[in-house]
Amino acid sequence: MDSFSIIKDSLPSLLSGLTVTIKLTVISLFFASILGIVFGLLNISKNKVLKSIAVIYIDIIRGTPLIVQAFFIYFAIPSALDIKIGAEFAGCLALSLNAGAYMAEIFRAGIQSLDKGQMEAARSLGLPYSKAMTKVILPQAIKRMTPAIINQFIISLKDTSILSVIGIRELTQSGEIIIASNFKSTQIWGTVAVMYFVIITLLSIVSKRMERNV
């Protein structure tokens, strides 16, 4: 069987794996954004307790590899609590928590990059802190953070390959399964690499265009 036929026969399975990869990335980044906003705001809070909670979360997540976090959520927690957790749920949770810590730093840096006079001006107009943050500060900060957020999307997309270790049939795992049946590693891994490259290149182009417009 020639290389073209091998790739053609493997394409449906690889595309199915790519769909799972994109789904995991989008879901995880959605929750990571929520975590990022919450812990980013806590990290700039004047309340020492709230700030400490944010710092502990960020330091623990950033200080441990994603693969260890995935193993802990998928194996350790169910074993300790005598419960079952699905692989995709565990993968999404691990990726969300992991990306959330980095998103928190992106939001913190984005907010602190704005002139302090923005908040002071909003408060002088009678806006409470929460409204000043949501109506004045965050919209400006998010515009500046957009390239960094897209970059995190790219990182999370590549990180989904790590989740194959807990049995999620994403793109990398799909490639491994196909190779186990036909032993054509060059053609399959080459196709997998091209699929990752195309998506990541498109996201990089979007990121660069947004960065120029900021």
Side-chain angles (χ1 to χ4, degrees):
M1 187 179 289
D2 59 69
S3 296
F4 179 77
S5 298
I6 292 168
I7 294 170
K8 183 181 177 183
D9 291 343
S10 304
L11 208 53
S13 181
L14 291 176
L15 288 173
S16 176
L18 180 61
T19 301
V20 173
T21 291
I22 294 173
K23 182 179 77 171
L24 286 172
T25 306
V26 171
I27 293 172
S28 299
L29 201 66
F30 172 77
F31 289 108
S33 298
I34 295 172
L35 289 171
I37 292 173
V38 171
F39 284 97
L41 291 173
L42 291 181
N43 203 12
I44 60 173
S45 172
K46 293 180 180 179
N47 187 305
K48 290 185 178 180
V49 175
L50 297 178
K51 185 178 177 68
S52 296
I53 291 171
V55 169
I56 290 169
Y57 161 68
I58 293 168
D59 286 350
I60 288 175
I61 296 298
R62 294 179 70 188
T64 54
L66 175 58
I67 190 170
V68 173
Q69 296 162 15
F71 279 143
F72 184 81
I73 292 170
Y74 188 58
F75 294 112
I77 292 178
S79 176
L81 302 179
D82 195 26
I83 58 174
K84 287 185 178 181
I85 296 178
E88 283 199 18
F89 177 80
C92 273
L93 182 57
L95 202 57
S96 297
L97 290 171
N98 184 272
Y102 292 94
M103 290 288 282
E105 286 295 277
I106 291 172
F107 277 99
R108 178 195 60 77
I111 292 168
Q112 291 184 332
S113 71
L114 296 175
D115 193 292
K116 291 181 179 180
Q118 297 276 350
M119 175 61 79
E120 292 170 1
R123 295 302 299 275
S124 69
L125 292 173
L127 289 175
Y129 179 85
S130 58
K131 272 199 172 181
M133 183 61 72
T134 56
K135 300 290 185 181
V136 178
I137 303 300
L138 279 179
Q140 296 181 71
I142 288 173
K143 186 178 178 181
R144 292 189 179 189
M145 293 183 292
T146 299
I149 292 171
I150 294 176
N151 187 57
Q152 184 57 49
F153 189 97
I154 292 170
I155 293 170
S156 296
L157 180 70
K158 291 189 285 186
D159 281 349
T160 56
S161 61
I162 296 173
L163 301 179
S164 63
V165 298
I166 59 174
I168 298 177
R169 193 165 178 173
E170 41 66 68
L171 182 54
T172 301
Q173 176 81 323
S174 297
E176 290 176 351
I177 292 170
I178 294 169
I179 292 168
S181 64
N182 64 18
F183 303 104
K184 303 295 183 180
S185 59
T186 303
Q187 294 90 332
I188 302 304
W189 285 132
T191 305
V192 169
V194 168
M195 293 172 82
Y196 274 119
F197 178 77
V198 168
I199 293 176
I200 290 168
T201 299
L202 290 173
L203 288 171
S204 297
I205 291 170
V206 172
S207 178
K208 288 176 182 176
R209 285 185 177 178
M210 286 185 169
E211 197 167 355
R212 285 198 296 266
N213 293 331
V214 171

Short mmCIF file of all heavy atoms in Angstrom, two decimals, residues 7-32:
data_model
loop_
_atom_site.label_atom_id
_atom_site.label_comp_id
_atom_site.label_asym_id
_atom_site.label_seq_id
_atom_site.Cartn_x
_atom_site.Cartn_y
_atom_site.Cartn_z
N ILE A 7 -2.44 7.30 4.18
CA ILE A 7 -2.93 8.56 4.76
C ILE A 7 -4.42 8.72 4.53
O ILE A 7 -5.17 9.12 5.44
CB ILE A 7 -2.16 9.75 4.15
CG1 ILE A 7 -0.69 9.69 4.57
CG2 ILE A 7 -2.79 11.08 4.59
CD1 ILE A 7 0.20 10.68 3.84
N LYS A 8 -4.89 8.37 3.32
CA LYS A 8 -6.31 8.48 2.99
C LYS A 8 -7.16 7.60 3.90
O LYS A 8 -8.21 8.02 4.40
CB LYS A 8 -6.54 8.09 1.53
CG LYS A 8 -7.98 8.24 1.07
CD LYS A 8 -8.14 7.83 -0.39
CE LYS A 8 -9.60 7.91 -0.82
NZ LYS A 8 -9.78 7.45 -2.23
N ASP A 9 -6.71 6.36 4.14
CA ASP A 9 -7.45 5.44 5.00
C ASP A 9 -7.44 5.89 6.46
O ASP A 9 -8.38 5.61 7.21
CB ASP A 9 -6.86 4.03 4.89
CG ASP A 9 -7.11 3.40 3.52
OD1 ASP A 9 -7.99 3.90 2.79
OD2 ASP A 9 -6.41 2.41 3.18
N SER A 10 -6.37 6.56 6.86
CA SER A 10 -6.21 6.97 8.26
C SER A 10 -6.87 8.31 8.57
O SER A 10 -7.11 8.63 9.74
CB SER A 10 -4.72 7.06 8.62
OG SER A 10 -4.05 5.85 8.37
N LEU A 11 -7.16 9.07 7.51
CA LEU A 11 -7.66 10.43 7.69
C LEU A 11 -8.94 10.54 8.53
O LEU A 11 -9.02 11.41 9.41
CB LEU A 11 -7.86 11.10 6.33
CG LEU A 11 -7.71 12.63 6.29
CD1 LEU A 11 -6.39 13.07 6.90
CD2 LEU A 11 -7.84 13.13 4.86
N PRO A 12 -9.96 9.70 8.30
CA PRO A 12 -11.18 9.81 9.12
C PRO A 12 -10.91 9.68 10.61
O PRO A 12 -11.45 10.44 11.41
CB PRO A 12 -12.05 8.66 8.60
CG PRO A 12 -11.59 8.43 7.21
CD PRO A 12 -10.12 8.69 7.23
N SER A 13 -10.06 8.73 10.98
CA SER A 13 -9.73 8.53 12.39
C SER A 13 -8.94 9.70 12.94
O SER A 13 -9.18 10.16 14.07
CB SER A 13 -8.94 7.23 12.57
OG SER A 13 -8.65 7.01 13.94
N LEU A 14 -8.03 10.23 12.14
CA LEU A 14 -7.22 11.37 12.58
C LEU A 14 -8.07 12.63 12.71
O LEU A 14 -7.89 13.41 13.64
CB LEU A 14 -6.07 11.61 11.59
CG LEU A 14 -4.97 10.55 11.56
CD1 LEU A 14 -3.95 10.87 10.48
CD2 LEU A 14 -4.28 10.43 12.92
N LEU A 15 -9.00 12.81 11.78
CA LEU A 15 -9.90 13.97 11.86
C LEU A 15 -10.81 13.88 13.08
O LEU A 15 -11.12 14.90 13.71
CB LEU A 15 -10.73 14.09 10.57
CG LEU A 15 -9.97 14.56 9.33
CD1 LEU A 15 -10.86 14.46 8.09
CD2 LEU A 15 -9.46 15.98 9.50
N SER A 16 -11.22 12.66 13.41
CA SER A 16 -12.03 12.45 14.61
C SER A 16 -11.22 12.83 15.85
O SER A 16 -11.72 13.47 16.78
CB SER A 16 -12.47 10.99 14.69
OG SER A 16 -13.17 10.75 15.90
N GLY A 17 -9.94 12.42 15.86
CA GLY A 17 -9.06 12.78 16.97
C GLY A 17 -8.82 14.27 17.04
O GLY A 17 -8.76 14.86 18.12
N LEU A 18 -8.70 14.92 15.86
CA LEU A 18 -8.51 16.37 15.81
C LEU A 18 -9.72 17.09 16.38
O LEU A 18 -9.59 18.11 17.07
CB LEU A 18 -8.25 16.80 14.37
CG LEU A 18 -8.04 18.30 14.14
CD1 LEU A 18 -6.82 18.81 14.90
CD2 LEU A 18 -7.90 18.60 12.65
N THR A 19 -10.91 16.56 16.09
CA THR A 19 -12.14 17.15 16.62
C THR A 19 -12.14 17.12 18.14
O THR A 19 -12.51 18.09 18.80
CB THR A 19 -13.37 16.39 16.09
OG1 THR A 19 -13.38 16.44 14.66
CG2 THR A 19 -14.66 16.99 16.63
N VAL A 20 -11.71 15.99 18.71
CA VAL A 20 -11.62 15.86 20.17
C VAL A 20 -10.60 16.85 20.72
O VAL A 20 -10.82 17.50 21.74
CB VAL A 20 -11.25 14.42 20.57
CG1 VAL A 20 -11.00 14.32 22.08
CG2 VAL A 20 -12.35 13.45 20.16
N THR A 21 -9.47 16.98 20.03
CA THR A 21 -8.42 17.92 20.44
C THR A 21 -8.95 19.35 20.51
O THR A 21 -8.74 20.06 21.48
CB THR A 21 -7.23 17.85 19.46
OG1 THR A 21 -6.57 16.60 19.62
CG2 THR A 21 -6.23 18.97 19.72
N ILE A 22 -9.64 19.77 19.45
CA ILE A 22 -10.19 21.13 19.40
C ILE A 22 -11.27 21.32 20.47
O ILE A 22 -11.33 22.36 21.13
CB ILE A 22 -10.75 21.43 17.99
CG1 ILE A 22 -9.61 21.46 16.97
CG2 ILE A 22 -11.51 22.76 17.99
CD1 ILE A 22 -10.06 21.57 15.54
N LYS A 23 -12.12 20.30 20.65
CA LYS A 23 -13.18 20.38 21.67
C LYS A 23 -12.57 20.54 23.06
O LYS A 23 -13.01 21.40 23.84
CB LYS A 23 -14.05 19.12 21.61
CG LYS A 23 -15.22 19.15 22.60
CD LYS A 23 -16.08 17.90 22.49
CE LYS A 23 -15.41 16.72 23.16
NZ LYS A 23 -16.30 15.54 23.25
N LEU A 24 -11.58 19.73 23.38
CA LEU A 24 -10.92 19.81 24.68
C LEU A 24 -10.30 21.20 24.88
O LEU A 24 -10.40 21.78 25.96
CB LEU A 24 -9.82 18.74 24.79
CG LEU A 24 -10.25 17.30 25.00
CD1 LEU A 24 -9.04 16.37 24.88
CD2 LEU A 24 -10.91 17.11 26.35
N THR A 25 -9.68 21.71 23.83
CA THR A 25 -9.01 23.01 23.92
C THR A 25 -10.01 24.13 24.15
O THR A 25 -9.80 24.98 25.03
CB THR A 25 -8.21 23.29 22.63
OG1 THR A 25 -7.32 22.21 22.36
CG2 THR A 25 -7.41 24.57 22.77
N VAL A 26 -11.09 24.14 23.38
CA VAL A 26 -12.09 25.21 23.50
C VAL A 26 -12.77 25.18 24.86
O VAL A 26 -12.89 26.22 25.53
CB VAL A 26 -13.14 25.10 22.37
CG1 VAL A 26 -14.30 26.06 22.61
CG2 VAL A 26 -12.50 25.36 21.02
N ILE A 27 -13.21 24.00 25.30
CA ILE A 27 -13.88 23.87 26.60
C ILE A 27 -12.93 24.29 27.73
O ILE A 27 -13.30 25.05 28.63
CB ILE A 27 -14.39 22.44 26.82
CG1 ILE A 27 -15.52 22.12 25.84
CG2 ILE A 27 -14.90 22.26 28.26
CD1 ILE A 27 -15.97 20.67 25.85
N SER A 28 -11.71 23.78 27.66
CA SER A 28 -10.73 24.07 28.72
C SER A 28 -10.39 25.55 28.78
O SER A 28 -10.28 26.12 29.86
CB SER A 28 -9.45 23.25 28.49
OG SER A 28 -9.73 21.87 28.54
N LEU A 29 -10.23 26.17 27.59
CA LEU A 29 -9.88 27.58 27.59
C LEU A 29 -11.03 28.45 28.08
O LEU A 29 -10.80 29.50 28.69
CB LEU A 29 -9.45 28.02 26.19
CG LEU A 29 -8.59 29.29 26.16
CD1 LEU A 29 -7.25 29.04 26.83
CD2 LEU A 29 -8.39 29.79 24.75
N PHE A 30 -12.26 28.01 27.85
CA PHE A 30 -13.42 28.75 28.36
C PHE A 30 -13.38 28.81 29.89
O PHE A 30 -13.48 29.89 30.48
CB PHE A 30 -14.71 28.08 27.90
CG PHE A 30 -15.96 28.65 28.53
CD1 PHE A 30 -16.48 29.86 28.11
CD2 PHE A 30 -16.60 27.98 29.56
CE1 PHE A 30 -17.63 30.40 28.70
CE2 PHE A 30 -17.74 28.49 30.16
CZ PHE A 30 -18.25 29.71 29.72
N PHE A 31 -13.21 27.64 30.51
CA PHE A 31 -13.15 27.60 31.98
C PHE A 31 -11.85 28.22 32.50
O PHE A 31 -11.83 28.83 33.58
CB PHE A 31 -13.31 26.17 32.48
CG PHE A 31 -14.71 25.64 32.31
CD1 PHE A 31 -14.99 24.68 31.35
CD2 PHE A 31 -15.75 26.10 33.09
CE1 PHE A 31 -16.29 24.20 31.17
CE2 PHE A 31 -17.05 25.64 32.94
CZ PHE A 31 -17.32 24.69 31.97
N ALA A 32 -10.77 28.07 31.73
CA ALA A 32 -9.50 28.67 32.13
C ALA A 32 -9.61 30.19 32.15
O ALA A 32 -9.01 30.85 33.00
CB ALA A 32 -8.39 28.24 31.18
#
